[in-house]
Amino acid sequence: MDEANISRPALVEAIAAMEAQRAATGNERNLNRAIDIALRALREALAQTAAEPGDHKRRQLTVLVADLSGFTTFSERMDAERLRDAINAMWRELDAVIRAWGGEIDQHAGDSLMALFGLVHPRQGDAARALHAALAMQQELALFNERVRGAADDSREGAWAADWPGPRMRIGIHSGPVYFARPPGAAAPQGGRPAAVGDAIAVARRLEKAAPAGSVLTSEVVREMAATPFVYASLPDTATLPSGVDNGWLVAGERPPATGYTPGTVAGQMTRRVGRTGLISRLEGALQTAADSRTPQLVTIIGPPGAGKSRLAYEFENRARMVGVSTVLRAGTLGSARDFPYALVRDLLLRRFAIRPQHSANLIAWKLRHGLADPETAGGDGRPGRDLDLSARAIDLLEKLLDVKTAAAVPVEEALAVFTPLLQATTAAGPAIAILEGLNRADAQSLALVERLVEAGEAGPLLILGLATVAPATDPEITLPWLGKELDMFAPMERLDLEPLSAVDSRLMATEILQPLGAPSMRLLDLVVVESGGNPLYIETFIQWLIDRGVITVGDRWRIDMARVEESHLPAGLAALIAARLAELPEAERRVLQAASVFRPLCWDIALLEMEPAIGLDAAQLEAALLSLEAKEYLAADDVYNFPASQAYAFRRDSVREVAYAGLTAGQRRALHLGAARWLIANRHSARFSAWISIDAMIAGHFAAAGDQAQAAAGRGHSDAPAVVV
């Protein structure tokens, strides 16, 4: 069979089968060596699928063209061999950036490069990945030049270092049809793809030539496709747009990864908070105590699913910003499990310093070295404001905390010694707030660090809001070590329990949402109040369910068919209501949501696509389903845990994930868990993917959930971390 015709899912299956064979061979050295050779060939074939689009194929791709500014001038001054060594060293750094963001290098020509994004599975996110890669290339080139300047007198760096002029780069990006073809009668290319041609490439080249040195110039098409994670600027008056380009934009920087909570909506409109006024007042009092005492305070907000913990924190955050609080830190347990040491802390660092798995060790160290940015400048152009003086030892410790493989060896006291000055710098200009989501699922080390920070009292005026859900498997009364200490009136801790809304507040909330009906039926309000049990999420979901079913017709003026309401079987409880909504999703969306549920809160589009035949959707169908599920607020894109050519998605609510998983039959669960394990095995050796997550522990957890205890034990043997219970 021709290698180009082998599907990626088939290669994933083959790699998993060979890994299983290796586990069964024990210590048979020769057989294991043969398996290693076969696995290497299979993984090379998996990577090669990106380079085999086939002859005469047309694809919608994003094209990145980069070129060194002033190359001709400085190349004439450098010895040819030194120039070759210098250029090779530079491209090793920059080529890695392209691949880290899922691009494929199509051409190299000394001082220039062309890369394609979307070769394996063209998707909407390719444009954003190309822009991320372009900005990272500019940063990496600046860091490379800085390292070369510092090593100019060090003979170990090579004789070329002293002659390297530290050039700048121009980058142009455009999206459009790209064709792959070879001239008639030409032989098939050796180990590569046919030539890429098309207007998209020509436009990208013209954009590169028009870009000022050290900048990224993109077309309007790319700007629209990449949506909002970037900051743009107009071309200077002295610059001229190339022919064939209606509008061009300089990409000034990245916006920080989105970390804020977004309230749910009904019929596209955000619902108004009802009740909880007394709790908001208590949070304001805790913030004032932190400000007056200049010491951290911890408030733990506990409630059942859907009680409104995140919404309460959201409303309080808005109030706090109005009175001058400018810094709000956020962290959660999306990409973690309770078995991964410092997972919550890692999430805080990743989001605060805008670190992504695609970033190199050099770029991560640079971000950590520059420390906290001023709130006024953070996110505008992506550049830090003032520096935080961190010692080399502190940087080293933070890098260890970021690595899931080394974090376990870091004692809590050492972590405390670094986080205290970090938080002191954060609060130097005024009180700050840290919101920790899913605290009951957090790992023991992160919880111990939170407790020690508060008890030590040296981190400055910081209010920590810990949001914990009442759940059988992760009961806050058991998982949170400080509960009970708040009974000491002098302790810097407080506990807020979210009780159900009163009948009056429940009726008021329903009335607010149903306001477009005019005067809502009293019978309808009675049903909402009785069935909700005072759960705000139930009220929102119940009304949205009626809209989904056409019982309530939305428009300039809403209408309701009360006869259908009376005839309907009303779900009892939040889980039953969510299950009723999921049952009415289109088949493709329901399948995607159920498959995503086996990955726990976080999944990846590439994983769902390549878990054939468990899902059975092509790339276009999968992307359409994911975008629809995001619009319907079941899933949310998360940029922190992406890896090359992937998009991470998180469940917006644990309750949705649990209901979706519960809707699977035993056979479906087994098939999906086995598919997930095989896909993880095929990608186990991706350093980018395993940067923040223990892949081996996840593999073992999936095999255990599928009932394959032998494979689970073998997978667990690859890692020191315990298996994740899925």
Side-chain angles (χ1 to χ4, degrees), residues 344-376:
L344 185 65
V345 170
R346 188 175 306 114
D347 192 76
L348 178 66
L349 290 172
L350 295 176
R351 297 181 189 279
R352 182 54 179 159
F353 292 102
I355 295 171
R356 293 179 168 92
Q358 292 92 338
H359 291 160
S360 70
N362 290 324
L363 187 50
I364 290 173
W366 180 85
K367 285 176 172 284
L368 292 175
R369 195 167 61 245
H370 280 69
L372 261 51
D374 280 328
E376 291 77 14

PDB file of all heavy atoms in Angstrom, residues 344-376:
ATOM      1  N   LEU A 344      -2.761  22.912  39.872  1.00  0.00           N
ATOM      2  CA  LEU A 344      -3.470  24.188  39.997  1.00  0.00           C
ATOM      3  C   LEU A 344      -2.490  25.353  39.942  1.00  0.00           C
ATOM      4  O   LEU A 344      -2.743  26.374  39.299  1.00  0.00           O
ATOM      5  CB  LEU A 344      -4.261  24.217  41.305  1.00  0.00           C
ATOM      6  CG  LEU A 344      -5.154  25.438  41.537  1.00  0.00           C
ATOM      7  CD1 LEU A 344      -6.278  25.479  40.513  1.00  0.00           C
ATOM      8  CD2 LEU A 344      -5.727  25.422  42.952  1.00  0.00           C
ATOM      9  N   VAL A 345      -1.355  25.201  40.604  1.00  0.00           N
ATOM     10  CA  VAL A 345      -0.309  26.231  40.578  1.00  0.00           C
ATOM     11  C   VAL A 345       0.215  26.403  39.155  1.00  0.00           C
ATOM     12  O   VAL A 345       0.441  27.519  38.676  1.00  0.00           O
ATOM     13  CB  VAL A 345       0.831  25.846  41.537  1.00  0.00           C
ATOM     14  CG1 VAL A 345       2.033  26.763  41.343  1.00  0.00           C
ATOM     15  CG2 VAL A 345       0.352  25.893  42.982  1.00  0.00           C
ATOM     16  N   ARG A 346       0.409  25.284  38.457  1.00  0.00           N
ATOM     17  CA  ARG A 346       0.889  25.335  37.080  1.00  0.00           C
ATOM     18  C   ARG A 346      -0.087  26.122  36.203  1.00  0.00           C
ATOM     19  O   ARG A 346       0.319  26.937  35.371  1.00  0.00           O
ATOM     20  CB  ARG A 346       1.067  23.916  36.550  1.00  0.00           C
ATOM     21  CG  ARG A 346       1.750  23.818  35.193  1.00  0.00           C
ATOM     22  CD  ARG A 346       2.000  22.365  34.806  1.00  0.00           C
ATOM     23  NE  ARG A 346       2.728  21.676  35.851  1.00  0.00           N
ATOM     24  CZ  ARG A 346       2.234  20.665  36.583  1.00  0.00           C
ATOM     25  NH1 ARG A 346       1.022  20.210  36.349  1.00  0.00           N
ATOM     26  NH2 ARG A 346       2.944  20.107  37.523  1.00  0.00           N
ATOM     27  N   ASP A 347      -1.371  25.868  36.394  1.00  0.00           N
ATOM     28  CA  ASP A 347      -2.372  26.576  35.607  1.00  0.00           C
ATOM     29  C   ASP A 347      -2.304  28.082  35.867  1.00  0.00           C
ATOM     30  O   ASP A 347      -2.416  28.889  34.944  1.00  0.00           O
ATOM     31  CB  ASP A 347      -3.768  26.044  35.943  1.00  0.00           C
ATOM     32  CG  ASP A 347      -4.823  26.512  34.965  1.00  0.00           C
ATOM     33  OD1 ASP A 347      -4.871  25.976  33.847  1.00  0.00           O
ATOM     34  OD2 ASP A 347      -5.597  27.415  35.312  1.00  0.00           O
ATOM     35  N   LEU A 348      -2.088  28.454  37.109  1.00  0.00           N
ATOM     36  CA  LEU A 348      -1.962  29.874  37.456  1.00  0.00           C
ATOM     37  C   LEU A 348      -0.758  30.497  36.755  1.00  0.00           C
ATOM     38  O   LEU A 348      -0.842  31.584  36.176  1.00  0.00           O
ATOM     39  CB  LEU A 348      -1.832  30.031  38.967  1.00  0.00           C
ATOM     40  CG  LEU A 348      -1.653  31.458  39.494  1.00  0.00           C
ATOM     41  CD1 LEU A 348      -2.890  32.287  39.229  1.00  0.00           C
ATOM     42  CD2 LEU A 348      -1.327  31.452  40.981  1.00  0.00           C
ATOM     43  N   LEU A 349       0.378  29.801  36.763  1.00  0.00           N
ATOM     44  CA  LEU A 349       1.581  30.320  36.115  1.00  0.00           C
ATOM     45  C   LEU A 349       1.397  30.435  34.604  1.00  0.00           C
ATOM     46  O   LEU A 349       1.775  31.435  33.989  1.00  0.00           O
ATOM     47  CB  LEU A 349       2.777  29.410  36.418  1.00  0.00           C
ATOM     48  CG  LEU A 349       3.296  29.416  37.856  1.00  0.00           C
ATOM     49  CD1 LEU A 349       4.337  28.326  38.044  1.00  0.00           C
ATOM     50  CD2 LEU A 349       3.885  30.771  38.215  1.00  0.00           C
ATOM     51  N   LEU A 350       0.818  29.408  33.997  1.00  0.00           N
ATOM     52  CA  LEU A 350       0.625  29.411  32.548  1.00  0.00           C
ATOM     53  C   LEU A 350      -0.240  30.588  32.120  1.00  0.00           C
ATOM     54  O   LEU A 350       0.054  31.280  31.135  1.00  0.00           O
ATOM     55  CB  LEU A 350      -0.012  28.103  32.094  1.00  0.00           C
ATOM     56  CG  LEU A 350       0.809  26.830  32.285  1.00  0.00           C
ATOM     57  CD1 LEU A 350       0.007  25.606  31.866  1.00  0.00           C
ATOM     58  CD2 LEU A 350       2.095  26.893  31.494  1.00  0.00           C
ATOM     59  N   ARG A 351      -1.320  30.814  32.860  1.00  0.00           N
ATOM     60  CA  ARG A 351      -2.243  31.887  32.478  1.00  0.00           C
ATOM     61  C   ARG A 351      -1.679  33.262  32.821  1.00  0.00           C
ATOM     62  O   ARG A 351      -1.839  34.216  32.057  1.00  0.00           O
ATOM     63  CB  ARG A 351      -3.603  31.657  33.136  1.00  0.00           C
ATOM     64  CG  ARG A 351      -4.266  30.371  32.660  1.00  0.00           C
ATOM     65  CD  ARG A 351      -5.625  30.134  33.281  1.00  0.00           C
ATOM     66  NE  ARG A 351      -6.109  28.802  32.956  1.00  0.00           N
ATOM     67  CZ  ARG A 351      -6.693  28.462  31.801  1.00  0.00           C
ATOM     68  NH1 ARG A 351      -6.877  29.384  30.875  1.00  0.00           N
ATOM     69  NH2 ARG A 351      -7.087  27.236  31.570  1.00  0.00           N
ATOM     70  N   ARG A 352      -1.012  33.374  33.949  1.00  0.00           N
ATOM     71  CA  ARG A 352      -0.498  34.679  34.354  1.00  0.00           C
ATOM     72  C   ARG A 352       0.630  35.151  33.441  1.00  0.00           C
ATOM     73  O   ARG A 352       0.729  36.326  33.090  1.00  0.00           O
ATOM     74  CB  ARG A 352      -0.018  34.632  35.811  1.00  0.00           C
ATOM     75  CG  ARG A 352       0.498  35.965  36.328  1.00  0.00           C
ATOM     76  CD  ARG A 352      -0.531  37.060  36.130  1.00  0.00           C
ATOM     77  NE  ARG A 352      -0.091  38.344  36.638  1.00  0.00           N
ATOM     78  CZ  ARG A 352      -0.587  39.509  36.250  1.00  0.00           C
ATOM     79  NH1 ARG A 352      -1.522  39.536  35.325  1.00  0.00           N
ATOM     80  NH2 ARG A 352      -0.150  40.635  36.773  1.00  0.00           N
ATOM     81  N   PHE A 353       1.516  34.227  33.058  1.00  0.00           N
ATOM     82  CA  PHE A 353       2.657  34.604  32.239  1.00  0.00           C
ATOM     83  C   PHE A 353       2.417  34.359  30.753  1.00  0.00           C
ATOM     84  O   PHE A 353       3.335  34.510  29.947  1.00  0.00           O
ATOM     85  CB  PHE A 353       3.908  33.846  32.689  1.00  0.00           C
ATOM     86  CG  PHE A 353       4.401  34.258  34.044  1.00  0.00           C
ATOM     87  CD1 PHE A 353       4.142  33.481  35.151  1.00  0.00           C
ATOM     88  CD2 PHE A 353       5.113  35.426  34.201  1.00  0.00           C
ATOM     89  CE1 PHE A 353       4.589  33.856  36.405  1.00  0.00           C
ATOM     90  CE2 PHE A 353       5.572  35.812  35.456  1.00  0.00           C
ATOM     91  CZ  PHE A 353       5.303  35.030  36.563  1.00  0.00           C
ATOM     92  N   ALA A 354       1.178  33.978  30.379  1.00  0.00           N
ATOM     93  CA  ALA A 354       0.823  33.723  28.969  1.00  0.00           C
ATOM     94  C   ALA A 354       1.792  32.737  28.333  1.00  0.00           C
ATOM     95  O   ALA A 354       2.289  32.933  27.224  1.00  0.00           O
ATOM     96  CB  ALA A 354       0.773  35.027  28.182  1.00  0.00           C
ATOM     97  N   ILE A 355       2.054  31.641  29.049  1.00  0.00           N
ATOM     98  CA  ILE A 355       2.950  30.591  28.554  1.00  0.00           C
ATOM     99  C   ILE A 355       2.100  29.502  27.904  1.00  0.00           C
ATOM    100  O   ILE A 355       1.080  29.087  28.440  1.00  0.00           O
ATOM    101  CB  ILE A 355       3.781  29.998  29.708  1.00  0.00           C
ATOM    102  CG1 ILE A 355       4.723  31.068  30.276  1.00  0.00           C
ATOM    103  CG2 ILE A 355       4.576  28.786  29.244  1.00  0.00           C
ATOM    104  CD1 ILE A 355       5.434  30.639  31.546  1.00  0.00           C
ATOM    105  N   ARG A 356       2.559  29.035  26.752  1.00  0.00           N
ATOM    106  CA  ARG A 356       1.849  27.978  26.037  1.00  0.00           C
ATOM    107  C   ARG A 356       2.787  26.810  25.777  1.00  0.00           C
ATOM    108  O   ARG A 356       4.010  26.990  25.709  1.00  0.00           O
ATOM    109  CB  ARG A 356       1.303  28.512  24.713  1.00  0.00           C
ATOM    110  CG  ARG A 356       0.197  29.564  24.873  1.00  0.00           C
ATOM    111  CD  ARG A 356      -0.256  30.039  23.499  1.00  0.00           C
ATOM    112  NE  ARG A 356      -1.477  30.827  23.580  1.00  0.00           N
ATOM    113  CZ  ARG A 356      -1.509  32.148  23.700  1.00  0.00           C
ATOM    114  NH1 ARG A 356      -0.371  32.814  23.784  1.00  0.00           N
ATOM    115  NH2 ARG A 356      -2.652  32.797  23.730  1.00  0.00           N
ATOM    116  N   PRO A 357       2.247  25.613  25.568  1.00  0.00           N
ATOM    117  CA  PRO A 357       3.122  24.465  25.296  1.00  0.00           C
ATOM    118  C   PRO A 357       3.991  24.658  24.060  1.00  0.00           C
ATOM    119  O   PRO A 357       5.057  24.058  23.959  1.00  0.00           O
ATOM    120  CB  PRO A 357       2.129  23.313  25.088  1.00  0.00           C
ATOM    121  CG  PRO A 357       0.900  23.723  25.808  1.00  0.00           C
ATOM    122  CD  PRO A 357       0.840  25.218  25.681  1.00  0.00           C
ATOM    123  N   GLN A 358       3.551  25.485  23.114  1.00  0.00           N
ATOM    124  CA  GLN A 358       4.331  25.685  21.891  1.00  0.00           C
ATOM    125  C   GLN A 358       5.584  26.509  22.126  1.00  0.00           C
ATOM    126  O   GLN A 358       6.478  26.541  21.265  1.00  0.00           O
ATOM    127  CB  GLN A 358       3.466  26.386  20.830  1.00  0.00           C
ATOM    128  CG  GLN A 358       2.333  25.532  20.298  1.00  0.00           C
ATOM    129  CD  GLN A 358       1.049  25.747  21.078  1.00  0.00           C
ATOM    130  OE1 GLN A 358       1.080  26.192  22.224  1.00  0.00           O
ATOM    131  NE2 GLN A 358      -0.080  25.427  20.470  1.00  0.00           N
ATOM    132  N   HIS A 359       5.671  27.184  23.256  1.00  0.00           N
ATOM    133  CA  HIS A 359       6.828  28.038  23.506  1.00  0.00           C
ATOM    134  C   HIS A 359       8.064  27.209  23.830  1.00  0.00           C
ATOM    135  O   HIS A 359       7.989  26.194  24.518  1.00  0.00           O
ATOM    136  CB  HIS A 359       6.534  28.995  24.661  1.00  0.00           C
ATOM    137  CG  HIS A 359       5.512  30.033  24.318  1.00  0.00           C
ATOM    138  ND1 HIS A 359       4.796  30.724  25.274  1.00  0.00           N
ATOM    139  CD2 HIS A 359       5.083  30.512  23.123  1.00  0.00           C
ATOM    140  CE1 HIS A 359       3.964  31.564  24.673  1.00  0.00           C
ATOM    141  NE2 HIS A 359       4.126  31.454  23.376  1.00  0.00           N
ATOM    142  N   SER A 360       9.210  27.683  23.351  1.00  0.00           N
ATOM    143  CA  SER A 360      10.473  26.997  23.622  1.00  0.00           C
ATOM    144  C   SER A 360      10.915  27.255  25.054  1.00  0.00           C
ATOM    145  O   SER A 360      10.412  28.161  25.733  1.00  0.00           O
ATOM    146  CB  SER A 360      11.551  27.497  22.658  1.00  0.00           C
ATOM    147  OG  SER A 360      11.897  28.840  22.986  1.00  0.00           O
ATOM    148  N   ALA A 361      11.909  26.480  25.488  1.00  0.00           N
ATOM    149  CA  ALA A 361      12.465  26.688  26.833  1.00  0.00           C
ATOM    150  C   ALA A 361      13.048  28.090  26.958  1.00  0.00           C
ATOM    151  O   ALA A 361      12.944  28.725  28.015  1.00  0.00           O
ATOM    152  CB  ALA A 361      13.524  25.628  27.124  1.00  0.00           C
ATOM    153  N   ASN A 362      13.659  28.588  25.886  1.00  0.00           N
ATOM    154  CA  ASN A 362      14.237  29.941  25.924  1.00  0.00           C
ATOM    155  C   ASN A 362      13.159  31.000  26.107  1.00  0.00           C
ATOM    156  O   ASN A 362      13.321  31.946  26.876  1.00  0.00           O
ATOM    157  CB  ASN A 362      15.008  30.217  24.632  1.00  0.00           C
ATOM    158  CG  ASN A 362      16.279  29.400  24.527  1.00  0.00           C
ATOM    159  OD1 ASN A 362      16.954  29.149  25.513  1.00  0.00           O
ATOM    160  ND2 ASN A 362      16.608  28.972  23.314  1.00  0.00           N
ATOM    161  N   LEU A 363      12.050  30.843  25.385  1.00  0.00           N
ATOM    162  CA  LEU A 363      10.988  31.838  25.481  1.00  0.00           C
ATOM    163  C   LEU A 363      10.286  31.768  26.834  1.00  0.00           C
ATOM    164  O   LEU A 363       9.927  32.793  27.420  1.00  0.00           O
ATOM    165  CB  LEU A 363       9.980  31.634  24.345  1.00  0.00           C
ATOM    166  CG  LEU A 363       8.888  32.703  24.195  1.00  0.00           C
ATOM    167  CD1 LEU A 363       9.478  34.101  24.171  1.00  0.00           C
ATOM    168  CD2 LEU A 363       8.067  32.434  22.938  1.00  0.00           C
ATOM    169  N   ILE A 364      10.097  30.559  27.356  1.00  0.00           N
ATOM    170  CA  ILE A 364       9.486  30.413  28.682  1.00  0.00           C
ATOM    171  C   ILE A 364      10.367  31.067  29.740  1.00  0.00           C
ATOM    172  O   ILE A 364       9.880  31.797  30.614  1.00  0.00           O
ATOM    173  CB  ILE A 364       9.247  28.924  29.000  1.00  0.00           C
ATOM    174  CG1 ILE A 364       8.134  28.368  28.110  1.00  0.00           C
ATOM    175  CG2 ILE A 364       8.880  28.741  30.479  1.00  0.00           C
ATOM    176  CD1 ILE A 364       7.936  26.870  28.238  1.00  0.00           C
ATOM    177  N   ALA A 365      11.667  30.817  29.659  1.00  0.00           N
ATOM    178  CA  ALA A 365      12.585  31.424  30.630  1.00  0.00           C
ATOM    179  C   ALA A 365      12.541  32.952  30.529  1.00  0.00           C
ATOM    180  O   ALA A 365      12.590  33.652  31.543  1.00  0.00           O
ATOM    181  CB  ALA A 365      14.004  30.917  30.389  1.00  0.00           C
ATOM    182  N   TRP A 366      12.425  33.474  29.304  1.00  0.00           N
ATOM    183  CA  TRP A 366      12.335  34.926  29.122  1.00  0.00           C
ATOM    184  C   TRP A 366      11.079  35.475  29.781  1.00  0.00           C
ATOM    185  O   TRP A 366      11.117  36.507  30.459  1.00  0.00           O
ATOM    186  CB  TRP A 366      12.350  35.242  27.629  1.00  0.00           C
ATOM    187  CG  TRP A 366      12.265  36.706  27.323  1.00  0.00           C
ATOM    188  CD1 TRP A 366      13.293  37.600  27.267  1.00  0.00           C
ATOM    189  CD2 TRP A 366      11.077  37.451  27.042  1.00  0.00           C
ATOM    190  NE1 TRP A 366      12.823  38.857  26.958  1.00  0.00           N
ATOM    191  CE2 TRP A 366      11.463  38.796  26.811  1.00  0.00           C
ATOM    192  CE3 TRP A 366       9.731  37.125  26.951  1.00  0.00           C
ATOM    193  CZ2 TRP A 366      10.550  39.787  26.506  1.00  0.00           C
ATOM    194  CZ3 TRP A 366       8.810  38.117  26.642  1.00  0.00           C
ATOM    195  CH2 TRP A 366       9.224  39.427  26.427  1.00  0.00           C
ATOM    196  N   LYS A 367       9.958  34.792  29.592  1.00  0.00           N
ATOM    197  CA  LYS A 367       8.702  35.255  30.191  1.00  0.00           C
ATOM    198  C   LYS A 367       8.783  35.227  31.712  1.00  0.00           C
ATOM    199  O   LYS A 367       8.322  36.142  32.399  1.00  0.00           O
ATOM    200  CB  LYS A 367       7.537  34.393  29.694  1.00  0.00           C
ATOM    201  CG  LYS A 367       7.127  34.699  28.260  1.00  0.00           C
ATOM    202  CD  LYS A 367       6.045  33.742  27.792  1.00  0.00           C
ATOM    203  CE  LYS A 367       5.492  34.171  26.440  1.00  0.00           C
ATOM    204  NZ  LYS A 367       4.586  35.315  26.517  1.00  0.00           N
ATOM    205  N   LEU A 368       9.362  34.172  32.256  1.00  0.00           N
ATOM    206  CA  LEU A 368       9.497  34.089  33.708  1.00  0.00           C
ATOM    207  C   LEU A 368      10.479  35.136  34.225  1.00  0.00           C
ATOM    208  O   LEU A 368      10.260  35.750  35.272  1.00  0.00           O
ATOM    209  CB  LEU A 368       9.968  32.689  34.109  1.00  0.00           C
ATOM    210  CG  LEU A 368       8.973  31.543  33.877  1.00  0.00           C
ATOM    211  CD1 LEU A 368       9.621  30.203  34.205  1.00  0.00           C
ATOM    212  CD2 LEU A 368       7.720  31.738  34.718  1.00  0.00           C
ATOM    213  N   ARG A 369      11.552  35.348  33.472  1.00  0.00           N
ATOM    214  CA  ARG A 369      12.583  36.296  33.909  1.00  0.00           C
ATOM    215  C   ARG A 369      12.032  37.715  33.980  1.00  0.00           C
ATOM    216  O   ARG A 369      12.414  38.505  34.836  1.00  0.00           O
ATOM    217  CB  ARG A 369      13.770  36.222  32.938  1.00  0.00           C
ATOM    218  CG  ARG A 369      15.049  36.877  33.439  1.00  0.00           C
ATOM    219  CD  ARG A 369      16.254  36.482  32.578  1.00  0.00           C
ATOM    220  NE  ARG A 369      16.100  36.887  31.194  1.00  0.00           N
ATOM    221  CZ  ARG A 369      15.998  36.041  30.173  1.00  0.00           C
ATOM    222  NH1 ARG A 369      16.020  34.733  30.389  1.00  0.00           N
ATOM    223  NH2 ARG A 369      15.876  36.491  28.936  1.00  0.00           N
ATOM    224  N   HIS A 370      11.128  38.040  33.075  1.00  0.00           N
ATOM    225  CA  HIS A 370      10.554  39.376  33.083  1.00  0.00           C
ATOM    226  C   HIS A 370       9.431  39.519  34.097  1.00  0.00           C
ATOM    227  O   HIS A 370       8.952  40.623  34.338  1.00  0.00           O
ATOM    228  CB  HIS A 370      10.057  39.752  31.682  1.00  0.00           C
ATOM    229  CG  HIS A 370      11.159  40.212  30.779  1.00  0.00           C
ATOM    230  ND1 HIS A 370      12.122  39.361  30.312  1.00  0.00           N
ATOM    231  CD2 HIS A 370      11.457  41.428  30.271  1.00  0.00           C
ATOM    232  CE1 HIS A 370      12.958  40.033  29.547  1.00  0.00           C
ATOM    233  NE2 HIS A 370      12.586  41.282  29.505  1.00  0.00           N
ATOM    234  N   GLY A 371       9.008  38.410  34.657  1.00  0.00           N
ATOM    235  CA  GLY A 371       8.086  38.460  35.768  1.00  0.00           C
ATOM    236  C   GLY A 371       6.734  39.050  35.447  1.00  0.00           C
ATOM    237  O   GLY A 371       6.225  38.947  34.334  1.00  0.00           O
ATOM    238  N   LEU A 372       6.151  39.672  36.444  1.00  0.00           N
ATOM    239  CA  LEU A 372       4.820  40.245  36.329  1.00  0.00           C
ATOM    240  C   LEU A 372       4.855  41.523  35.516  1.00  0.00           C
ATOM    241  O   LEU A 372       5.746  42.340  35.673  1.00  0.00           O
ATOM    242  CB  LEU A 372       4.253  40.566  37.719  1.00  0.00           C
ATOM    243  CG  LEU A 372       3.278  39.558  38.316  1.00  0.00           C
ATOM    244  CD1 LEU A 372       3.834  38.169  38.281  1.00  0.00           C
ATOM    245  CD2 LEU A 372       2.905  39.984  39.708  1.00  0.00           C
ATOM    246  N   ALA A 373       3.849  41.689  34.661  1.00  0.00           N
ATOM    247  CA  ALA A 373       3.712  42.936  33.911  1.00  0.00           C
ATOM    248  C   ALA A 373       2.769  43.862  34.648  1.00  0.00           C
ATOM    249  O   ALA A 373       1.893  43.430  35.380  1.00  0.00           O
ATOM    250  CB  ALA A 373       3.175  42.649  32.515  1.00  0.00           C
ATOM    251  N   ASP A 374       2.963  45.156  34.469  1.00  0.00           N
ATOM    252  CA  ASP A 374       2.016  46.114  35.022  1.00  0.00           C
ATOM    253  C   ASP A 374       0.630  45.845  34.467  1.00  0.00           C
ATOM    254  O   ASP A 374       0.482  45.569  33.274  1.00  0.00           O
ATOM    255  CB  ASP A 374       2.417  47.541  34.644  1.00  0.00           C
ATOM    256  CG  ASP A 374       3.523  48.063  35.535  1.00  0.00           C
ATOM    257  OD1 ASP A 374       3.556  47.665  36.709  1.00  0.00           O
ATOM    258  OD2 ASP A 374       4.340  48.855  35.051  1.00  0.00           O
ATOM    259  N   PRO A 375      -0.425  45.886  35.308  1.00  0.00           N
ATOM    260  CA  PRO A 375      -1.779  45.643  34.808  1.00  0.00           C
ATOM    261  C   PRO A 375      -2.152  46.552  33.650  1.00  0.00           C
ATOM    262  O   PRO A 375      -2.883  46.168  32.756  1.00  0.00           O
ATOM    263  CB  PRO A 375      -2.661  45.924  36.035  1.00  0.00           C
ATOM    264  CG  PRO A 375      -1.765  45.738  37.217  1.00  0.00           C
ATOM    265  CD  PRO A 375      -0.402  46.163  36.751  1.00  0.00           C
ATOM    266  N   GLU A 376      -1.611  47.787  33.638  1.00  0.00           N
ATOM    267  CA  GLU A 376      -1.992  48.727  32.576  1.00  0.00           C
ATOM    268  C   GLU A 376      -1.415  48.321  31.227  1.00  0.00           C
ATOM    269  O   GLU A 376      -1.979  48.646  30.187  1.00  0.00           O
ATOM    270  CB  GLU A 376      -1.500  50.149  32.915  1.00  0.00           C
ATOM    271  CG  GLU A 376      -2.239  50.797  34.091  1.00  0.00           C
ATOM    272  CD  GLU A 376      -1.775  50.252  35.432  1.00  0.00           C
ATOM    273  OE1 GLU A 376      -0.725  49.587  35.482  1.00  0.00           O
ATOM    274  OE2 GLU A 376      -2.456  50.497  36.428  1.00  0.00           O
TER     275      GLU A 376
END
